[in-house]
Amino acid sequence: TWNNISNMLTMLFKAETGRALSDENLHFIAEKLFNQEFPYPFPEIFANDPVTFNTFCHQRNDRQLTFWEWFYLCFKVTKDCLREYWEDGFIEGFLSKKSLEKKLSSCKQGTFILRFSDSMKSSISVAFVTRSIDGKHLVNHLNPFGYEDLRKKGISERLNEFEELKTLFPSFEKKTIFKAVQRDERSIQNGYWAPIKSYRLPTYEESVSVTNY
């Protein structure tokens, strides 16, 4: 049943990453498992419905991943690459695009959220607030950082490359959370620690479209 599965998944995260899954996380995971949207909180009427082995391990989504493959890869990138920030509650993780846009709807420019990518396996996506030239509130997305990307260069260094990312949702200053890069996060080039580069995010008017998030 969903109750049994949700307990198992949250116990796995708690034991291996230091932080359990939230009710909001579990709600999104349930939508992935059952391949349908549910009102929040998750309706109790579905909590004891049986979940088949085929649904859990064999049925593939439009990205050609089974539910378990998708979930396990999110778990793996969290455990291996993001544990410190996940454990401290700075990564939203399992969050729908609709939910993140609602969270960011009243945030100032430069506010961002970290969530697992819907379109790329084992990847973390960055959604951030920007504004058009006429002041319209917009939510854009960086190209997701995959497992190998994060093994080569940690999330702290990658976020600090984008100066326009200012505030981690809801109100944490980026520079206080994602501090100066530690040696074990730095990429190595020819035996030397690579220098930090700084990038400017494109403006809305520059029409840079990112479709993978």
Side-chain angles (χ1 to χ4, degrees):
T1 67
W2 167 245
N3 269 344
N4 293 334
I5 288 174
S6 63
N7 288 335
M8 176 191 72
L9 298 181
T10 199
M11 287 174 62
L12 174 66
F13 255 78
K14 176 64 175 177
E16 298 294 332
T17 71
R19 178 182 137 212
L21 299 169
S22 68
D23 288 343
E24 188 173 32
N25 292 155
L26 290 169
H27 180 266
F28 178 62
I29 292 168
E31 291 185 329
K32 284 287 191 180
L33 177 63
F34 293 106
N35 195 29
Q36 68 180 95
E37 292 187 3
F38 293 104
Y40 184 84
F42 187 77
E44 281 298 319
I45 191 172
F46 295 106
N48 290 310
D49 280 4
V51 176
T52 67
F53 185 76
N54 182 64
T55 298
F56 190 79
C57 288
H58 290 297
Q59 187 173 300
R60 296 189 178 276
N61 60 22
D62 57 355
R63 304 291 177 179
Q64 293 305 302
L65 288 174
T66 68
F67 168 81
W68 176 243
E69 286 171 337
W70 168 78
F71 180 85
Y72 178 76
L73 291 172
C74 291
F75 161 73
K76 183 172 175 59
V77 74
T78 304
K79 180 182 177 182
D80 293 351
C81 307
L82 303 166
R83 176 168 179 155
E84 174 186 354
Y85 302 106
W86 168 266
E87 189 171 7
D88 289 340
F90 298 130
I91 295 176
E92 296 281 338
F94 297 100
L95 186 69
S96 69
K97 184 171 179 282
K98 182 187 296 185
S99 295
L100 80 83
E101 289 181 344
K102 182 177 180 180
K103 286 175 180 286
L104 293 175
S105 63
S106 59
C107 292
K108 62 184 180 181
Q109 186 171 351
T111 303
F112 65 97
I113 282 178
L114 301 171
R115 62 185 279 270
F116 298 123
S117 172
D118 283 339
S119 62
M120 295 178 64
K121 63 183 181 181
S122 194
S123 298
I124 194 81
S125 178
V126 183
F128 62 97
V129 175
T130 186
R131 296 193 182 276
S132 63
I133 195 168
D134 59 358
K136 182 181 178 181
H137 183 280
L138 300 168
V139 175
N140 284 339
H141 305 263
L142 296 183
N143 231 357
F145 302 125
Y147 183 88
E148 292 302 324
D149 298 327
L150 295 170
R151 295 290 284 180
K152 293 175 182 176
K153 187 188 294 185
I155 190 66
S156 179
E157 184 172 355
R158 292 192 179 276
L159 293 176
N160 281 312
E161 289 175 342
F162 296 94
E163 296 178 354
E164 286 84 349
L165 299 178
K166 303 289 187 183
T167 307
L168 178 66
F169 180 86
S171 57
F172 299 105
E173 290 300 312
K174 181 182 72 173
K175 62 185 178 182
T176 66
I177 304 302
F178 302 98
K179 298 179 181 178
V181 180
Q182 300 299 312
R183 171 169 288 226
D184 60 0
E185 281 191 331
R186 301 291 293 273
S187 59
I188 300 176
Q189 297 177 0
N190 299 322
Y192 296 94
W193 297 108
I196 299 175
K197 298 177 182 178
S198 182
Y199 298 95
R200 179 182 67 81
L201 290 175
T203 64
Y204 177 71
E205 287 66 34
E206 289 172 321
S207 301
V208 175
S209 176
V210 178
T211 57
N212 289 326
Y213 49 80

